[in-house]
Amino acid sequence: MAFQIEGEDRPGRWLVTCDHATNRVPDWVAGGDLGLPADDMARHIAWDPGAAGVARALGVLLDSPVICSDFSRLVIDPNRGEDDPTLVMRLYDGSLIPANRRIDAEGIEERLSRLYRPYHAAYAALAARRPDTVILAIHSFTPSLKGRPPRPWQIGVLHSHLDSRLSHAVIGQLRRLPGLCVGDNEPYSGHLPGDAIDRHALAMGRHNTLIEVRNDLIADAAAQADWAARLAPALTAALKEVDHG
């Protein structure tokens, strides 16, 4: 299966997404093993640790559906355009991915047709269920890249210059919470042509925001639920602000 959906019949406006929900490698991809050690497959290079738990908890709190990918981003990255050179990574944060080093166009096409495109088709169908859908993408980021300084933010709100309305409102809401270091398009920019937000929100004129939580802060179910409980009121207030602004 290329994806998992929870709460498909929930009536809320939000569509909560998690593009990098798992580090699973399907059996038909290199025998289910990309050739990386288990420690690497547990790192942020293979998935967004903790993000799926936050996304699912937010779906409940916002009474809205959730879609999660069911394959590792190292198999193929659903948050990239089909023509993006990083669609199938061969080297990531210091780790070579053996099963991807010599992949050919036919191999990429198989991953596109069996994983990437079904995920995006399901995503598009959920987003189209009502005319005022709001896309909420949940990701997590590593506290530091190899050889780089620690990242100070606990949470980042990413957005495109093409439509930053909701994200700016979310940042404003989160910065009212005590003791929270909130990144504005940190630890990296939120605009990437062809990515999931570009495809399903910006191209369709939908309100959207992308939330990145530092993954050491959402390592277990209790922490994931706590962050969802913090985020849900801020997201609800931000959307109301944008709707009435």
Side-chain angles (χ1 to χ4, degrees), residues 58-109:
L58 277 167
V60 172
L61 293 172
L62 299 171
D63 201 18
S64 295
V66 181
I67 184 168
C68 296
S69 66
D70 197 23
F71 52 93
S72 171
R73 67 190 299 174
L74 291 180
V75 174
I76 193 163
D77 194 334
N79 196 34
R80 297 292 185 272
E82 289 197 19
D83 59 351
D84 193 300
T86 64
L87 180 68
V88 177
M89 292 291 280
R90 292 160 174 81
L91 172 69
Y92 195 177
D93 195 21
S95 295
L96 285 166
I97 297 88
N100 293 348
R101 289 184 69 184
R102 294 180 178 84
I103 191 169
D104 57 15
E106 184 178 350
I108 293 173
E109 178 60 32

Side-chain angles (χ1 to χ4, degrees), residues 132-217:
D132 58 351
T133 293
V134 181
I135 304 295
L136 169 60
I138 301 297
H139 291 254
S140 70
F141 65 94
T142 186
S144 65
L145 295 171
K146 283 187 174 180
R148 304 290 292 276
R151 291 163 161 171
W153 313 280
Q154 294 154 304
I155 189 166
V157 181
L158 275 55
H159 50 91
S160 168
H161 63 282
L162 298 174
D163 184 1
S164 298
R165 291 171 295 169
L166 181 58
S167 292
H168 283 154
V170 171
I171 290 166
Q173 291 291 330
L174 291 175
R175 285 183 172 167
R176 293 174 190 164
L177 300 179
L180 202 58
C181 183
V182 182
D184 181 348
N185 258 349
E186 298 287 359
Y188 25 75
S189 168
H191 182 68
L192 184 64
D195 70 4
I197 289 286
D198 190 43
R199 177 173 181 167
H200 296 286
L202 298 175
M204 310 300 288
R206 295 180 175 123
H207 281 315
N208 65 90
T209 191
L210 190 155
I211 303 290
E212 292 263 4
V213 185
R214 210 175 67 209
N215 65 30
D216 60 318
L217 303 176

